[in-house]
């Protein structure tokens, strides 16, 4: 396989891995931002239309629906509907599909039947209860929730706010039915009482259920509404046929307004609480998408530089190898080196930003999202630095001072996807020379990842470290199937060879050999006594020094505390 084919194959694999990680992250970020933007722009006109339909329903249920008051209300309903349609047809159309846009489309679709409902009311085909039912079918036909609550915007409070919104709509429907029965000479029929009692019971049940899921900041407002007994008293008198109409009207207006205000304040509080998740989602998408793109570009540049160096140093001449000193490609070399250094610097700054955000955040869910974003960025950095090393370059991230070996081992574990399966508790303390930290970390990451890939998912990969006569020995062991003798011989040849093997089966061990060769580190693979594979990594004495004699404290430095030097 030619070098060109190898580069193209490796680049295609890197692009595929980047796309597999970036597409879901960016898609989630687009959905989160779309949900917030559409909810912010559609909630007001959507709520205005619902209130207008409820007001029109009440007037249409009266004894004489035709009149100037109903005509004026119909005009207000039409204006609200047109405003909602205009907002929906604006730039929001280009955003991802969200609960707000779906509920808006559904309501606008149902209100296409509004002219027919009005004609039935005016013609006497839909009077009183039938008029109420016709308008209710436009507002909330499923009887589950009104269209003014968007679950994808509200995280954990959506159930409570949906119950609250539905409770308020049931109250408005009950009021419309009371208007429809108010003009009867013989008062409420038994069927009327059953229907009103059903609406009242459902409303109270939903209001009680909403309390446990509403944001904490609305607790006082909710308790005041739940404790108000004037509406219930007037309702009881109406059902008993002993009056209560004026008391009901006054209490209804106050409670209906209070429920609407409670829903609005609860929605704002829930949306604010979800801001942290939205920020983390967007940051994660930026890390995975942006840094991954940087990695792809860096690999392209490094591959090009490597090919140029090999052409200049090798005895074989290729077409176009003779370049004039003034060739634009040669003049680009300083620019490409500077771009590579900037890319690594940007990635390092991104990781420091994630660390700062994590230190300031107290919400456990948001901290988890930040940790996952940081972990993805670490894995991208590993691939970027690995590609630079294999192409003959030197990663810019170095340490001036020695680093505790335990931190290097834990840093290596953090660079793989299944970091939770790695045990690093039995590593004797020594200090590793800063010049070898990055390469040893990536070397161990390759061996640890190899162990997690071939060992059963429920098992752990253990990393131990202790002093040896030839330096300091780190051992990575797993309980997988191990290797046969032929594979062990091939693995040793791959790690010792300077050229990459054909195919991708041994590329990880080839990278191990390249990292080890840079510092005279010895790596030996053998089958463990109890099964599985053991990889022994021997670090030369010149690269290690004794750890301080003092016992470890919470102030002991870690890789996060020891700033790497971004070399020019």
């Amino acid at each position: 396989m030619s070098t060109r084919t190898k580069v193209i194959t490796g680049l295609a694999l890197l692009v595929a891995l980047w796309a597999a990680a970036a597409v879901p992250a960016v898609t989630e970020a687009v959905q989160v931002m779309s949900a917030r933007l559409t909810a912010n722009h559609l909630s007001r006109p959507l709520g205005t239309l619902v209130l207008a339909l409820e007001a029109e329903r009440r007037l249409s249920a009266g004894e004489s629906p035709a009149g100037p008051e109903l005509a004026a209300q119909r005009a207000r309903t039409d204006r609200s509907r047109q405003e909602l349609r205009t907002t929906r047809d604006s730039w929001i159309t280009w955003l991802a599909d969200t609960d707000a846009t779906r509920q808006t489309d559904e309501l606008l679709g149902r209100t296409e039947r509004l002219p027919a409902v009005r004609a039935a009311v005016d013609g006497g085909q839909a009077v009183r209860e039938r008029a109420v039912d016709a308008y209710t079918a436009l507002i909330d036909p499923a009887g589950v929730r009104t269209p003014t609550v968007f679950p994808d915007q509200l995280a954990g409070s959506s159930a409570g706010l949906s119950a609250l919104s539905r409770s308020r709509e049931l109250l408005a429907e009950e009021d419309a039915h009371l208007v429809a029965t108010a003009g009867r000479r013989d008062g409420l029929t038994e069927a009327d009482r059953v229907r009103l009692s059903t609406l009242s019971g459902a409303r109270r049940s939903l209001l009680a259920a909403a309390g446990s899921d509403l944001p904490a900041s609305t607790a006082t407002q909710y308790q005041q509404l739940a404790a108000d007994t004037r509406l219930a008293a007037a309702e009881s008198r109406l059902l008993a046929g002993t009056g209560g109409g004026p008391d009901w009207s006054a209490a209804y207006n106050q409670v209906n307004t209070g429920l609407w205000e409670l829903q609005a304040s609860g929605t704002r509080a829930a949306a604010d609480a979800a801001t942290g998740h939205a920020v983390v989602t967007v940051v994660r998408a930026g890390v995975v998408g942006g840094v991954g793109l940087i990695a792809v570009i860096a690999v392209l540049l490094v591959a090009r530089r490597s090919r140029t160096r090999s052409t200049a140093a090798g005895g074989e001449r290729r077409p176009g190898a003779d370049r004039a000193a003034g060739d634009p490609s040669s003049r680009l070399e300083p620019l490409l080196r500077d771009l590579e250094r900037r890319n690594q610097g940007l990635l390092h700054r991104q990781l420091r930003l994630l660390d700062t955000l994590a230190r300031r955040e107290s919400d456990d869910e948001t901290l988890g999202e930040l940790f996952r974003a940081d972990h993805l960025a670490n894995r991208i950095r590993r691939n970027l630095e690995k590609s630079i090393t294999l192409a003959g370059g030197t990663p810019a991230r170095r340490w001036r001072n020695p680093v505790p070996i335990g931190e290097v081992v834990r840093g290596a574990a953090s660079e793989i996807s299944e970091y939770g399966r790695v045990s690093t508790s039995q590593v004797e303390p020594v200090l590793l020379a800063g010049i070898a930290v990055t390469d040893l970390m990536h070397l161990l990451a390759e061996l640890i990842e190899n162990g997690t890939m071939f060992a059963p998912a429920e098992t752990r990969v253990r990393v131990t470290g202790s002093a040896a006569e030839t330096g300091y020995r780190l051992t990575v062991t797993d309980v997988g199937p191990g290797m046969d003798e032929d594979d062990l011989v091939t693995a040793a040849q791959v790690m010792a060879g300077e050229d990459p093997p054909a195919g991708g089966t041994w590329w990880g061990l080839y990278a191990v050999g390249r990292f080890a060769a840079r510092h005279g580190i010895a790596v030996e693979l053998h089958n463990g006594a109890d099964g599985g594979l053991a990889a022994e990594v021997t670090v030369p004495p010149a690269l290690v020094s004794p750890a301080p004699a003092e016992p470890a404290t919470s102030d002991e430095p870690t890789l996060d505390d020891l700033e790497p030097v971004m070399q020019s």
Side-chain angles (χ1 to χ4, degrees):
M1 184 183 293
S2 66
T3 302
R4 179 185 179 86
T5 303
K6 293 176 183 178
V7 170
I8 294 175
T9 302
L11 182 60
L13 178 61
L14 179 60
V15 171
L17 292 173
W18 167 56
V23 169
V26 173
T27 300
E28 183 183 1
V30 170
Q31 290 173 341
V32 168
M33 295 308 299
S34 295
R36 294 179 66 84
L37 289 172
T38 54
N40 290 340
H41 284 79
L42 291 173
S43 58
R44 187 193 63 79
L46 194 56
T48 301
L49 178 56
V50 168
L51 291 176
L53 287 169
E54 290 176 347
E56 186 173 332
R57 174 178 60 188
R58 189 179 193 276
L59 292 172
S60 300
E63 184 175 2
S64 302
E69 187 177 0
L70 178 58
Q73 180 57 49
R74 287 177 174 177
R76 286 192 288 270
T77 301
D78 290 339
R79 286 195 297 271
S80 300
R81 185 168 178 268
Q82 182 58 45
E83 180 185 1
L84 178 60
R85 183 178 296 279
T86 300
T87 305
R88 177 65 181 91
D89 293 340
S90 64
W91 53 269
I92 291 177
T93 304
W94 299 100
L95 297 178
D97 191 27
T98 66
D99 286 343
T101 55
R102 283 191 294 271
Q103 291 168 206
T104 296
D105 293 341
E106 291 168 2
L107 181 60
L108 289 173
R110 292 195 299 271
T111 54
E112 294 290 343
R113 305 195 305 268
L114 189 57
V117 172
R118 289 172 175 173
V121 170
D122 294 341
Q125 292 87 9
V127 294
R128 297 184 178 276
E129 287 85 353
R130 289 186 178 180
V132 174
D133 292 340
Y135 277 94
T136 300
L138 299 181
I139 298 171
D140 185 16
V144 178
R145 69 179 184 213
T146 55
T148 55
V149 174
F150 317 126
D152 60 1
Q153 178 205 19
L154 304 174
S157 298
S158 62
L161 289 167
S162 293
L164 181 70
S165 178
R166 177 63 186 147
S167 176
R168 192 203 62 80
E169 158 58 15
L170 287 173
L171 176 63
E173 184 181 350
E174 184 180 0
D175 179 65
H177 277 293
L178 286 172
V179 171
T181 60
R184 289 183 180 163
R185 296 179 182 179
D186 53 352
L188 296 177
T189 64
E190 187 62 27
D192 293 334
R193 289 188 174 89
V194 170
R195 184 162 193 174
L196 291 171
S197 297
T198 301
L199 290 172
S200 175
R203 171 178 57 81
R204 295 179 185 180
S205 177
L206 285 170
L207 183 60
S212 60
D213 291 328
L214 292 177
S217 59
T218 63
T220 301
Q221 191 177 358
Y222 169 78
Q223 290 168 0
Q224 291 175 349
L225 277 173
D228 193 339
T229 60
R230 289 175 297 173
L231 185 68
E235 186 177 58
S236 299
R237 293 176 60 194
L238 284 168
L239 292 175
T242 58
D247 292 338
W248 166 268
S249 297
Y252 164 76
N253 290 331
Q254 185 170 356
V255 172
N256 186 45
T257 301
L259 288 172
W260 186 262
E261 292 175 349
L262 176 59
Q263 178 183 331
S265 58
T267 299
R268 287 193 297 270
D272 291 343
T275 298
H277 171 71
V279 170
V280 169
T281 301
V282 174
V283 169
R284 183 173 60 186
V287 170
V288 177
V291 176
L293 181 60
I294 291 173
V296 173
I297 295 174
V299 171
L300 279 171
L301 297 177
V302 170
R304 181 174 181 177
R305 289 170 56 194
S306 176
R307 186 177 63 181
T308 302
R309 284 197 297 268
S310 63
T311 301
E316 178 183 355
R317 300 180 63 86
R318 296 181 176 87
D322 296 326
R323 293 181 179 176
D327 193 327
S329 297
S330 62
R331 294 200 301 269
L332 280 175
E333 286 294 319
L335 174 61
L336 298 180
R337 285 196 298 272
D338 182 68
L339 180 59
E340 175 187 311
R341 184 171 62 251
R342 289 173 182 270
N343 287 340
Q344 294 183 76
L346 287 171
L347 177 56
H348 181 67
R349 289 170 59 188
Q350 180 71 68
L351 285 165
R352 298 297 295 179
L353 173 61
L354 288 171
D355 180 67
T356 301
L357 290 173
R359 292 175 187 272
R360 295 176 181 173
E361 185 57 55
S362 59
D363 179 70
D364 290 341
E365 182 178 353
T366 303
L367 278 173
E369 295 288 346
L370 284 170
F371 178 79
R372 283 188 285 274
D374 181 79
H375 182 232
L376 287 171
N378 269 299
R379 292 169 62 190
I380 293 172
R381 178 172 62 187
R382 171 193 168 194
N383 289 337
L384 175 59
E385 293 181 343
K386 175 181 173 181
S387 66
I388 293 172
T389 300
L390 295 181
T394 300
R397 188 172 57 125
R398 309 285 290 276
W399 276 264
R400 289 196 181 97
N401 300 320
V403 175
I405 194 73
E407 289 301 317
V408 178
V409 173
R410 284 186 284 274
S414 72
E415 291 185 339
I416 71 169
S417 59
E418 299 187 68
Y419 54 88
R421 294 175 53 195
V422 184
S423 173
T424 62
S425 58
Q426 299 180 5
V427 177
E428 294 181 3
V430 294
L431 297 178
L432 177 69
I435 192 174
V437 168
T438 300
D439 290 330
L440 181 61
M441 190 186 306
H442 295 331
L443 184 156
L444 291 172
E446 294 291 336
L447 296 174
I448 294 170
E449 188 168 53
N450 188 68
T452 60
M453 288 175 60
F454 289 97
E458 68 276 6
T459 63
R460 299 180 72 83
V461 174
R462 301 188 181 278
V463 184
T464 60
S466 60
E469 294 182 0
T470 55
Y472 185 87
R473 181 172 299 158
L474 290 159
T475 305
V476 180
T477 58
D478 61 63
V479 293
M483 289 184 173
D484 58 31
E485 291 301 321
D486 290 340
D487 283 342
L488 288 173
V489 172
T490 302
Q493 293 174 346
V494 167
M495 288 189 292
E498 294 186 359
D499 295 325
T505 305
W506 300 96
W507 284 353
L509 290 179
Y510 171 72
V512 168
R514 294 301 86 212
F515 289 129
R518 289 163 65 92
H519 305 285
I521 298 172
V523 181
E524 180 182 353
L525 303 181
H526 61 82
N527 289 314
D530 299 326
L533 188 69
E536 292 187 352
V537 180
T538 304
V539 182
L543 295 178
V544 294
S545 58
E550 294 79 14
T553 67
S554 59
D555 295 329
E556 184 178 359
T558 68
L559 279 176
D560 291 331
D561 302 320
L562 300 170
E563 280 285 347
V565 179
M566 303 303 290
Q567 302 282 6
S568 299

